[in-house]
Amino acid sequence: MRTPFVAANWKMNKTLPEALNFLQAIAGKLPNQAEVEALICAQSLFLSQMMAVTKDEPIKIGAENVFWHDQGAFTGETSPKAVASLGVDYVIIGHSERRKYFRETDEMVNNKVQAVLRNGMRAIICVDETMGQREANEKVHWVVSQVIEALKGVAIEDADKITIAYEPSWAIGAAAASAKEAEDGCYLIRQTVADMFSDEAADQVRVLYGGSVKPSNQAELMAMPNIDGVLVGDASLNPDIFLQLVNYQQK
Ligand code: PGA
């Protein structure tokens, strides 16, 4: 059985005091990690403070990106080795905003996935689909090829360290995909993992949906057989809404 996963992607939001206030507001109100795994991915510059204040809480703190080299002359980049040294477990890789604004290619995404695994962390790989690709009926091609390219060279033993998020950019900060459409994307991802690795690996890997998830559409999405969780941007910035998202089973 795959543990349901609710992951927040704060993007480039919140100052350190705002992040710490948020964590104070959710303290003591989080579900048991065995029932729902909760994660907040935030800007790297205050991950260590966020980890320190949540060390006794059932929540994980993750990064939103890392570079593919462990160290060296790469001014302004974030070292995966340095992030791992904080005790960070999860890193989002290949978010559509990084693909769009920073021209991240499938090859860069693959290098970053390798860097995350090499440093003992887990990757949440985002698979994008634009409105143009959706309208041209290119979903299958795009989703499958991004998964194949991102996982190139990944050993089957590391399959359990991979989470893949179906995040059509047409649904981010807009109108969410229907549960059926989100399920179709997640099913495609799981089938691709089965083809590349094995049915067992595909059974283990967690597949998330992201794009305008809110407490009002979360339960329907998470009831789908291939959707193990959600990756949430906007709605995760408010502590009350975040608590509703992680405690969705208690409703
Ligand atoms: P959204 O963002 O929930 O604000 O649509 C999701 C994401 O970009 O991960």
Side-chain angles (χ1 to χ4, degrees):
M1 268 305 285
R2 302 180 292 266
T3 310
F5 197 5
V6 175
N9 173 12
W10 278 0
K11 310 190 179 184
M12 201 180 73
N13 290 297
K14 296 197 190 294
T15 60
L16 176 60
E18 286 166 354
L20 297 180
N21 281 342
F22 179 108
L23 296 176
Q24 210 167 28
I26 62 169
K29 298 173 188 158
L30 294 159
N32 183 320
Q33 293 247 50
E35 280 153 33
V36 178
E37 197 174 336
L39 169 74
I40 297 175
C41 295
Q43 298 176 71
S44 295
L45 77 166
F46 40 70
L47 292 179
S48 60
Q49 286 101 320
M50 290 178 68
M51 293 195 58
V53 303
T54 52
K55 69 177 184 334
D56 299 323
E57 292 285 331
I59 189 158
K60 292 194 170 121
I61 305 297
E64 298 174 9
N65 175 41
V66 288
F67 194 50
W68 59 80
H69 283 295
D70 287 355
Q71 59 200 34
F74 304 103
T75 304
E77 278 297 340
T78 303
S79 152
K81 191 175 167 192
V83 169
S85 76
L86 303 176
V88 167
D89 206 7
Y90 284 98
V91 186
I92 297 175
I93 296 293
H95 190 276
S96 60
E97 285 148 17
R98 296 214 56 87
R99 293 182 192 257
K100 180 172 162 198
Y101 299 121
F102 304 99
R103 303 275 182 273
E104 279 193 14
T105 62
D106 284 339
E107 190 186 359
M108 293 179 198
V109 169
N110 179 247
N111 287 337
K112 291 182 173 201
V113 169
Q114 308 269 4
V116 166
L117 297 174
R118 179 171 74 237
N119 284 286
M121 299 182 287
R122 298 168 191 276
I124 300 177
I125 302 167
C126 296
V127 167
D128 182 21
E129 177 198 305
T130 64
M131 184 54 103
Q133 289 154 358
R134 180 197 193 196
E135 282 169 349
N137 262 326
E138 287 176 348
K139 180 200 236 68
V140 175
H141 167 72
W142 277 97
V143 171
V144 170
S145 74
Q146 283 171 90
V147 174
I148 291 174
E149 295 302 317
L151 295 180
K152 252 187 194 160
V154 171
I156 190 160
E157 307 81 68
D158 283 334
D160 64 337
K161 301 196 182 64
I162 299 289
T163 297
I164 306 178
Y166 172 59
E167 285 226 328
S169 49
W170 53 262
I172 295 178
S178 68
K180 160 88 175 68
E181 201 161 358
E183 165 66 12
D184 287 351
C186 293
Y187 169 81
L188 256 182
I189 290 171
R190 198 178 302 286
Q191 283 310 113
T192 310
V193 174
D195 291 344
M196 288 185 78
F197 294 98
S198 65
D199 287 347
E200 293 72 42
D203 215 38
Q204 267 180 17
V205 89
R206 280 188 298 183
V207 183
L208 314 181
Y209 164 74
S212 302
V213 175
K214 299 175 183 62
S216 57
N217 60 10
Q218 176 193 17
E220 191 189 1
L221 289 161
M222 289 187 65
M224 292 288 157
N226 286 292
I227 303 181
D228 304 315
V230 284
L231 182 56
V232 191
D234 246 21
S236 73
L237 293 169
N238 174 303
D240 296 330
I241 300 178
F242 179 75
L243 283 171
Q244 288 181 47
L245 291 164
V246 292
N247 290 305
Y248 75 101
Q249 286 180 336
Q250 266 110 64
K251 271 197 236 154

